[in-house]
Amino acid sequence: MQSWSSAHCVLILLIITFTAVYVSAVPLVKVKLHETATLPCYVSCPDVVRWTVSHKPRDVLAECDQTSCRSVKEGYQMIHDQYLKGNLSLIITKADLSNTHTCECGKSEICDVYLQVEDPEKGTENSRNGDGMSHVKVKLHDSATLRCSERCSGLGRWTVFHKPRDALAECNQTSCRSKEGYLIIHDQYLKGNLSLIITDTDFSKRTSYTCDCDGKDLCDVALKIETVNTLIQMKSSESLVLNLDISDPVEVIYNSRETSGTFSGQICTVDGHSLECKPEYTQRASLTSALELREMKSSDSGVYTIRDTKTKEDIRVYTVNVQAPQASVPGWATALILLTVAMLAVMVLVLVLLILRRHDQRFKRTVGEDVLEREQTGCKEKTITESLASLEMTVGQISGQTEGTEATLTQRLVSVQKLGNQNRDQIKSTEHALKEILDYLEATV
């Protein structure tokens, strides 16, 4: 039972942990009750885009396609020209409930935004300065809502504070008109909500705005951009490029991470195309569209802040880490390393020569044995050849002698035959003479 309880505790802890991680990962938008809220979503979507409440996926609030946008429920709106540019933000004209809202592209979820509606008694997202002007601070490129809740039966206009004749957006009882990037919602205007929506904020829009009704000032709101923090990792001797973002005069403030006496404080000021730096930075700094510091060193690591000289607002903060170059090797160490390498090379060369010499000796020994064996074989072959030649010569001599004897015997046989023939003739002659003598004797007798 105890192990079962422990397992359930672990499971509950994991669920709480993952739930907390998920909630913390969802962007948060805070507004006052019944104020206009903009839920940001910046994704390019060629398909149909729909906004829903997360726990009611079939209950569409607003949707857009390539041709138009539709507010399915009253009080929810998307801007078609912004949709085509990848700004799928949902505008809630009168926020009343805290909920997580989901934006879908086709059938894929692309954005979740948690809307927190605050009770007026707990404070407001907007604050006011000593001059009574409220200000709104948003992140760079987010949308901003400049609130103004006043009734206007005539022409309501929003302008930049110092350009009263240049209307950004305006409404009357029949319709609203606006410049690109600015919006007033007509049905909210009729209800007394004259809020101006800036769809994409940048540093050029960081100024004060005025809303008036038929020339009478109703609201003054200052728009501020949150400081942009950037982390830079770089190598020694590289250049650091600091974006200034605004045309107003700025100062560059450096705070070192080291305590070795490296300078901290204002290092440069920029006013238009004019650049002034501390003497130790004069040769390293140059100004184009940004401020460049050349030949950065490890000691230059630290925080660089771009600050508006007039308003004292921090525009950008760069946290820079310059990697130190590898320590150089002393001359004696280099010589020792070279000497060691040379000795190793000599030892390797000697070892190679010894191996080659031993291999050569073995090769010569093997070749010598082969040569000796070949010589012995050659001697044997020579002896056999000479014996065969001598035998052939003897056979030739015997054959010659046999032929001579045969010729002699033949000659002797011929001579005997001739002698026999001669003796035969003599015998015949003698026989003939004897016969004649006998015939004569017979005749005489």
Side-chain angles (χ1 to χ4, degrees):
M1 184 70 179
Q2 184 177 1
S3 61
W4 181 88
S5 300
S6 300
H8 276 71
C9 290
V10 172
L11 180 60
I12 292 171
L13 179 60
L14 288 173
I15 292 172
I16 293 173
T17 301
F18 283 111
T19 303
V21 170
Y22 173 76
V23 171
S24 63
V26 175
L28 174 65
V29 174
K30 294 181 181 181
V31 295
K32 289 172 59 177
L33 182 64
H34 301 312
E35 292 284 4
T36 301
T38 301
L39 309 187
C41 184
Y42 299 96
V43 179
S44 179
C45 176
D47 207 339
V48 177
V49 174
R50 295 183 178 89
W51 276 95
T52 62
V53 178
S54 295
H55 64 278
K56 295 180 180 179
R58 296 182 180 180
D59 191 3
V60 179
L61 305 175
E63 61 183 11
C64 279
D65 57 24
Q66 296 295 317
T67 58
S68 62
C69 291
R70 294 164 295 283
S71 297
V72 181
K73 282 195 172 184
E74 185 179 359
Y76 299 89
Q77 184 174 359
M78 295 177 67
I79 304 171
H80 190 257
D81 61 341
Q82 294 300 311
Y83 157 82
L84 296 177
K85 297 177 181 178
N87 181 358
L88 313 181
S89 300
L90 175 68
I91 300 170
I92 303 176
T93 56
K94 193 175 182 180
D96 55 357
L97 292 176
S98 296
N99 265 319
T100 300
H101 296 72
T102 298
C103 181
E104 297 181 352
C105 175
K107 295 183 179 180
S108 302
E109 294 185 6
I110 52 177
C111 294
D112 288 320
V113 183
Y114 183 73
L115 173 63
Q116 181 176 331
V117 181
E118 298 178 336
D119 189 277
E121 296 180 358
K122 297 181 181 180
T124 175
E125 184 190 21
N126 291 350
S127 60
R128 291 185 178 273
N129 56 23
D131 299 331
M133 179 180 290
S134 65
H135 68 266
V136 175
K137 179 176 284 189
V138 296
K139 293 182 179 179
L140 182 65
H141 298 306
D142 275 359
S143 60
T145 301
L146 310 188
R147 294 181 178 86
C148 185
S149 299
E150 297 285 349
R151 288 283 181 178
C152 178
S153 58
L155 179 64
R157 300 168 64 251
W158 276 94
T159 62
V160 175
F161 186 78
H162 60 278
K163 296 180 179 179
R165 296 183 180 180
D166 187 11
L168 304 175
E170 59 185 17
C171 285
N172 56 27
Q173 295 299 310
T174 59
S175 63
C176 291
R177 297 168 297 280
S178 61
K179 287 187 176 181
E180 183 177 358
Y182 301 91
L183 177 68
I184 302 176
I185 301 173
H186 189 257
D187 60 343
Q188 291 301 306
Y189 166 81
L190 296 177
K191 296 176 183 180
N193 183 358
L194 309 183
S195 298
L196 174 69
I197 299 171
I198 302 176
T199 57
D200 184 8
T201 59
D202 56 41
F203 287 106
S204 67
K205 297 182 175 70
R206 187 185 61 100
T207 186
S208 298
Y209 297 83
T210 297
C211 178
D212 67 75
C213 178
D214 289 332
K216 180 182 178 180
D217 289 351
L218 299 177
C219 303
D220 294 322
V221 184
L223 174 64
K224 298 184 178 182
I225 308 296
E226 292 183 9
T227 303
V228 179
N229 294 287
T230 306
L231 176 63
I232 297 179
Q233 300 281 350
M234 60 190 309
K235 296 180 180 179
S236 180
S237 77
E238 290 183 342
S239 295
L240 173 64
V241 178
L242 304 174
N243 292 321
L244 304 179
D245 293 302
I246 62 175
S247 58
D248 297 331
V250 298
E251 58 181 342
V252 181
I253 300 172
Y254 168 63
N255 290 307
S256 175
R257 289 182 176 179
E258 300 180 355
T259 58
S260 57
T262 304
F263 177 82
S264 293
Q266 185 191 90
I267 60 174
C268 292
T269 60
V270 179
D271 187 358
H273 298 288
S274 175
L275 172 65
E276 293 185 5
C277 295
K278 297 292 182 181
E280 54 267 40
Y281 290 93
T282 301
Q283 299 299 323
R284 296 171 52 195
S286 61
L287 179 64
T288 53
S289 58
L291 176 62
E292 180 181 356
L293 294 178
R294 297 180 295 275
E295 297 295 330
M296 293 291 287
K297 305 181 292 293
S298 176
S299 59
D300 292 322
S301 296
V303 179
Y304 293 79
T305 302
I306 310 299
R307 180 172 296 169
D308 189 319
T309 305
K310 295 179 180 179
T311 64
K312 299 302 179 182
E313 295 179 43
D314 292 342
I315 307 302
R316 284 186 182 265
V317 173
Y318 295 89
T319 302
V320 181
N321 182 23
V322 184
Q323 298 178 0
Q326 296 182 351
S328 59
V329 181
W332 62 268
T334 303
L336 181 60
I337 292 173
L338 292 176
L339 181 60
T340 304
V341 171
M343 292 178 63
L344 289 174
V346 172
M347 292 175 64
V348 170
L349 180 60
V350 171
L351 181 61
V352 171
L353 290 175
L354 288 175
I355 293 173
L356 291 176
R357 184 176 180 182
R358 183 174 298 177
H359 179 73
D360 186 58
Q361 289 176 350
R362 290 180 181 177
F363 178 74
K364 287 182 178 180
R365 188 181 305 160
T366 303
V367 173
E369 291 176 355
D370 290 342
V371 171
L372 180 60
E373 185 177 354
R374 290 180 183 178
E375 288 179 352
Q376 291 177 353
T377 303
C379 291
K380 291 180 181 179
E381 290 179 353
K382 184 177 180 181
T383 303
I384 294 172
T385 303
E386 290 177 351
S387 299
L388 289 175
S390 176
L391 181 60
E392 289 178 355
M393 187 179 296
T394 303
V395 171
Q397 291 176 355
I398 293 173
S399 177
Q401 292 175 358
T402 302
E403 290 177 356
T405 303
E406 183 179 357
T408 302
L409 290 175
T410 302
Q411 291 177 358
R412 289 182 180 178
L413 181 59
V414 172
S415 177
V416 170
Q417 287 178 351
K418 289 181 178 181
L419 182 60
N421 292 330
Q422 291 176 0
N423 290 334
R424 189 181 299 115
D425 293 337
Q426 290 178 359
I427 292 171
K428 286 181 179 181
S429 176
T430 301
E431 185 180 356
H432 183 68
L434 289 175
K435 189 177 179 181
E436 287 181 355
I437 292 170
L438 286 176
D439 288 337
Y440 177 74
L441 289 175
E442 286 176 0
T444 304
V445 177

